Amino acid sequence: MADVAVVDYGMGNLHSVAKAVEHVAPGAEVVVTGDPATILAAGRVVFPGQGAARDCMAAINGHGLRDAVLQAAAEKPFLGICMGLQVLFAHSEEGDTPCLGLFAGNVVRFQDARMHDAQGNKLKVPHMGWNNVRQLRPHPLWAGIEDATRFYFVHSYHVVPADPDLAVGSADYPTEFVCACARDNVFAVQFHPEKSATAGLRLLANFVTWDGNPNS
């Protein structure tokens, strides 16, 4: 049984994520796998992803991973990254795509009309680069990470949870958007911890020792 399974559905920076997890947990067995049984046997699961929502959902369903991902998210410490956050929600505007529906809410595109900074300069979409993340409430995965620490983002869409209590992190571009969500044993982020230097590695290190209790 692997200690950590990184879900492989054919899309995402899987090996960079796996290498980062191996770096913070050198004694752990980390596997990149698209096998449902291996995912469900693992001690904890990382669910990364990148690309378009419709393509990601087609790949998840095409690889027969939908039920395994949802079961893993119900039973064990589970970390979603980038598209691995977005497809946990019910629906994405990107391609008018039904998603996994673990969380109620939608994924929406940054609105072009609002894409100006305080000086009136045009902001680009996708939102790409480093941004400060506000910790909206305590969580074990924030341990040792200061509030407003910078993480690395690459995305054109962001989540809008139906339940505001899901949000545990937010950032501004240029207005506030939710960039981290958590409930029970699930923690999911819009940014890329594997690309976020010391802070990202600390978050991953927190995950590989987390028992799935949001209050532990």
Side-chain angles (χ1 to χ4, degrees):
M1 181 182 79
D3 296 302
V4 183
V6 179
V7 179
D8 180 6
Y9 53 97
M11 300 185 72
N13 200 13
L14 306 176
H15 293 285
S16 293
V17 173
K19 291 296 184 185
V21 174
E22 290 170 352
H23 178 77
V24 300
E29 181 184 358
V30 181
V31 298
V32 177
T33 180
D35 175 54
T38 302
I39 292 166
L40 292 176
R44 60 197 68 238
V45 171
V46 180
F47 181 45
Q50 59 190 36
R54 180 171 292 278
D55 294 340
C56 285
M57 285 306 305
I60 291 165
N61 292 326
H63 285 75
L65 291 172
R66 183 188 189 100
D67 290 346
V69 169
L70 288 172
Q71 185 176 340
E75 295 178 351
K76 59 190 70 193
F78 185 99
L79 176 64
I81 297 174
C82 194
M83 187 58 68
L85 163 67
Q86 294 185 11
V87 298
L88 295 180
F89 282 79
H91 181 268
S92 176
E93 281 185 355
E94 187 176 22
D96 189 20
T97 304
C99 296
L100 292 173
L102 179 69
F103 297 148
N106 296 303
V107 182
V108 303
R109 195 177 194 276
F110 285 110
Q111 295 182 18
D112 289 334
R114 296 184 179 181
M115 291 293 105
H116 295 88
D117 65 17
Q119 290 73 43
N121 300 309
K122 180 72 173 175
L123 297 174
K124 294 181 179 180
V125 177
H127 169 218
M128 183 181 299
W130 296 86
N131 204 341
N132 301 88
V133 172
R134 283 185 296 275
Q135 298 172 20
L136 300 179
R137 58 182 169 88
H139 192 279
L141 266 65
W142 292 139
I145 301 171
E146 292 187 6
D147 191 23
T149 291
R150 290 163 68 82
F151 288 87
Y152 189 81
F153 290 80
V154 183
H155 64 120
S156 299
Y157 292 77
H158 62 91
V159 300
V160 181
D163 178 3
D165 289 341
L166 276 175
V168 293
S170 69
D172 293 336
Y173 194 71
T175 55
E176 185 176 15
F177 69 93
V178 173
C179 67
C181 292
R183 187 177 68 195
D184 300 330
N185 55 296
V186 176
F187 191 94
V189 296
Q190 183 62 65
F191 53 81
H192 288 270
E194 77 280 7
K195 298 179 181 179
S196 295
T198 303
L201 292 176
R202 179 58 191 261
L203 189 147
L204 293 173
N206 290 340
F207 174 70
V208 299
T209 59
W210 182 41
D211 64 2
N213 182 344
N215 300 310
S216 63

